[in-house]
Amino acid sequence: PLQPDQVVSYFISARQQGQWEKFFLYLDLESLYQRSPQGARVYKSLSEAKRIEEISRYKDALRNEKIDNEILTVPQEFEIVKTSYTPREAVVEVLQKFSYTGYREVKLYTYYLTRTDAVWRIYSYDVQNRGTEAPN
């Protein structure tokens, strides 16, 4: 099993390479769907069968890049700057750089993971803008 920082690195690298099945491998889609109050409310009101359908639609929307821009944006480069964890919870901070014409945007992503059956899965994240820099 991969350690939390390895899971996050694997996840970001999969996104950089457009490898969707690898991208989804360590994502807890149910938790990500429920991050918003509206998503949580909708999810809790559904039957189990409808929840499965809704998560499948959510996954398709992510794959087709129709929602949740921040987790889908492809960084030109990234660096894991801090990892902390207990036996069941982990936090991984990653500095990600995104290239645009004439500048690079720098953001600090904080990924939250939980461990179930020896496997770490990303269940949430936060993003902080860290400014811009000149391109390389």
Side-chain angles (χ1 to χ4, degrees):
L2 299 178
Q3 295 301 314
D5 55 344
Q6 293 171 317
V7 166
V8 171
S9 183
Y10 181 92
F11 163 78
I12 297 170
S13 295
R15 180 66 189 111
Q16 286 177 316
Q17 297 165 16
Q19 297 175 324
W20 288 107
E21 290 313 309
K22 288 183 177 181
F23 173 80
F24 289 120
L25 188 61
Y26 294 105
L27 275 183
D28 180 343
L29 291 172
E30 290 179 18
S31 293
L32 288 174
Y33 180 87
Q34 295 180 75
R35 284 182 71 214
S36 73
Q38 180 185 355
R41 205 171 27 259
V42 168
Y43 189 81
K44 288 177 179 145
S45 70
L46 299 173
S47 68
E48 185 62 28
K50 292 291 185 185
R51 286 178 178 179
I52 292 168
E53 289 176 20
E54 189 63 23
I55 296 304
S56 180
R57 277 196 288 277
Y58 178 65
K59 184 177 181 179
D60 288 342
L62 284 171
R63 182 179 287 127
N64 294 316
E65 301 182 31
K66 292 183 177 181
I67 56 170
D68 217 347
N69 252 355
E70 290 180 324
I71 202 168
L72 295 174
T73 307
V74 181
Q76 179 185 10
E77 61 184 78
F78 68 94
E79 175 189 0
I80 294 176
V81 293
K82 183 178 178 186
T83 303
S84 57
Y85 57 97
T86 65
R88 306 236 355 119
E89 296 283 326
V91 177
V92 179
E93 294 180 2
V94 184
L95 202 58
Q96 297 187 45
K97 297 181 180 184
F98 304 89
S99 291
Y100 299 97
T101 304
Y103 70 98
R104 289 197 322 174
E105 194 171 52
V106 181
K107 295 184 178 191
L108 179 69
Y109 278 65
T110 303
Y111 294 97
Y112 302 93
L113 299 88
T114 188
R115 186 169 144 178
T116 308
D117 299 328
V119 176
W120 291 98
R121 295 172 46 92
I122 299 167
Y123 69 87
S124 189
Y125 65 94
D126 292 322
V127 182
Q128 294 176 1
N129 289 322
R130 291 296 172 105
T132 60
E133 62 185 27
N136 283 347

